[in-house]
Amino acid sequence: MSEARARRGQQGDSRMGDVAERAGVSHGTVSNFFNRPHLLSDATREKVAAAVDALAFVPNDAARTLAKGTGNTVGAVLVDIGNSFFVDIARGIESAAAEAGLKLLLANSDVDLQRQNDYLDLFDETRVRGIILAPLDGEQRGAARVRSHGRPVVFVNWPGDPAQSCGVIVDEEFGGYLAASHLIGLGRTRLLYAGGPLHLHAVADRLAGVRRAVSEHAGVELEVAETHSLTTRVGRILGEQLADRAAADRPDAVVCAADSLAVGCIEHLVAAGISVPDDIAVTGYDDNHYAAESAVPVTTIAQPGREMGVIAAGLLAEEVDEPATHEHRTVVLKPELVVRRSSVR
């Protein structure tokens, strides 16, 4: 082994005590450098940074976590990073976690229950301080298992359990009500709600809001078209089905349960020579980033994803830091209508 290689190996094995000795500071000061740098003066930070660099020191977070039984890392498992709504949630979690002095490990379950549970188990095994979970619909057994090990789980885009966990959600029923009320206010009287499967709680809640808006206005009709998914491809199929109907038999407004569905539907309607919004007005849901950039910008219901992430991280930090006084609760936020050219010229 060359002398240079041996020296690099020795440097890589440097311990925190070596850093403290080289910088002329205490062991606690070096610990603060990595975990609470704001407590140190600029001059002290520079001395420790120089020693760390000279010794090529890398802190062993895993070892510290195992020794203490805890660490300063939290995990987040999100259902679909391909959806910009969940990207916004992730950004909110990351921002709030950093302010609380916590590091974030982010995982994408990619709409796969087994992957979701695998990531929950992985974060549990690595002894993160807590987990934020934006889950698939259904019974949350994986989260319950993690909680049974004493690790807090905060749900986002899913309600918490008053006895066991916190949650952050958006009022989906109100979102559907906003979309339908907007279209009815424009004089549309034959509405179609498209989305599915209807057993998904968000899709069902949005439909409930649409039904409420329709029930408040005499002479307004509602048709429901359940889809097997909320993709752009399924939206194109929906648009094709509408275009094949006689003009007198078509709805004059479509409330889509997702922006992707709305974009696909609009694409096919326009290609078939049907004007959006003159012939058929269309709304989406989620305010995904591409909704504003499609050929016909989509009127949509915006969910405050970043705010949801910030609140979820705050609830987790509160439960981690103050477990004795923490009270589980579900925070409900209101969505907002964003009007674009798919409903109003």
Side-chain angles (χ1 to χ4, degrees):
M1 181 185 298
S2 71
E3 181 180 345
R5 184 176 177 185
R7 185 165 58 249
R8 285 198 299 272
Q10 291 168 359
Q11 289 173 341
D13 292 335
S14 297
R15 297 173 300 174
M16 195 174 289
D18 300 328
V19 175
E21 182 178 354
R22 186 180 185 94
V25 299
S26 69
H27 191 284
T29 296
V30 178
S31 177
N32 283 337
F33 174 81
F34 289 107
N35 300 306
R36 295 172 292 278
H38 60 280
L39 298 178
L40 306 181
S41 67
D42 292 343
T44 300
R45 280 200 301 270
E46 289 174 7
K47 284 197 300 183
V48 177
V52 168
D53 185 57
L55 295 171
F57 174 73
V58 178
N60 191 339
D61 282 339
R64 290 205 307 270
T65 295
L66 289 171
K68 295 162 58 180
T70 186
N72 68 336
T73 301
V74 296
V77 184
L78 305 183
V79 66
D80 183 12
I81 291 296
N83 184 328
S84 67
F85 168 57
F86 293 102
V87 174
D88 290 341
I89 289 175
R91 286 174 174 157
I93 295 171
E94 182 179 36
S95 174
E99 285 191 16
L102 299 171
K103 298 176 183 177
L104 176 66
L105 296 176
L106 181 64
N108 174 28
S109 67
D110 203 22
V111 201
D112 184 308
L113 181 60
Q114 186 59 55
R115 288 185 66 175
Q116 173 179 301
N117 289 334
D118 286 347
Y119 279 125
L120 287 171
D121 289 340
L122 175 63
F123 288 160
D124 191 20
E125 291 165 7
T126 54
R127 301 193 182 188
V128 296
R129 298 197 70 182
I131 298 172
I132 296 172
L133 174 62
L136 282 78
D137 268 61
E139 191 173 358
Q140 303 303 322
R141 294 179 181 175
R145 183 171 60 253
V146 171
R147 285 200 309 268
S148 72
H149 300 159
R151 212 166 309 286
V153 177
V154 172
F155 292 104
V156 61
N157 205 41
W158 189 263
D161 180 332
Q164 301 184 59
S165 62
C166 290
V168 184
I169 60 173
V170 170
D171 188 340
E172 305 279 13
E173 193 271 351
F174 181 64
Y177 178 83
L178 279 178
S181 296
H182 167 67
L183 294 169
I184 294 170
L186 295 172
R188 308 290 172 155
T189 59
R190 301 189 312 279
L191 273 61
L192 180 144
Y193 177 80
L198 288 175
H199 65 74
L200 297 177
H201 81 280
V203 175
D205 288 350
R206 293 166 193 179
L207 173 57
V210 172
R211 290 191 191 279
R212 178 161 67 93
V214 169
S215 71
E216 293 177 355
H217 296 83
V220 177
E221 302 172 357
L222 175 64
E223 177 184 352
V224 177
E226 181 176 10
T227 62
H228 65 77
S229 68
L230 300 171
T231 64
T232 303
R233 184 180 66 81
V234 171
R236 294 191 189 101
I237 294 172
L238 172 66
E240 180 180 11
Q241 293 170 344
L242 292 175
D244 287 344
R245 290 163 61 168
D249 186 43
R250 292 182 196 131
D252 58 11
V254 178
V255 180
C256 290
D259 289 333
S260 50
L261 203 63
V263 168
C265 180
I266 291 169
E267 283 180 1
H268 193 90
L269 290 175
V270 171
I274 297 172
S275 174
V276 176
D278 293 344
D279 297 326
I280 301 179
V282 180
T283 63
Y285 206 105
D286 281 341
D287 197 21
N288 271 289
H289 296 174
Y290 57 78
E293 300 169 358
S294 60
V296 179
V298 180
T299 292
T300 189
I301 302 299
Q303 302 194 80
R306 186 180 180 88
E307 184 182 358
M308 293 172 73
V310 168
I311 293 173
L315 290 171
L316 182 61
E318 178 185 303
E319 185 171 358
V320 165
D321 293 337
E322 304 169 10
T325 58
H326 175 78
E327 294 184 3
H328 295 309
R329 58 197 182 276
T330 293
V331 178
V332 183
L333 303 177
K334 292 291 186 183
E336 295 181 352
L337 175 71
V338 178
V339 178
R340 299 193 181 106
R341 197 153 52 86
S342 69
S343 65
V344 177
R345 267 199 191 280

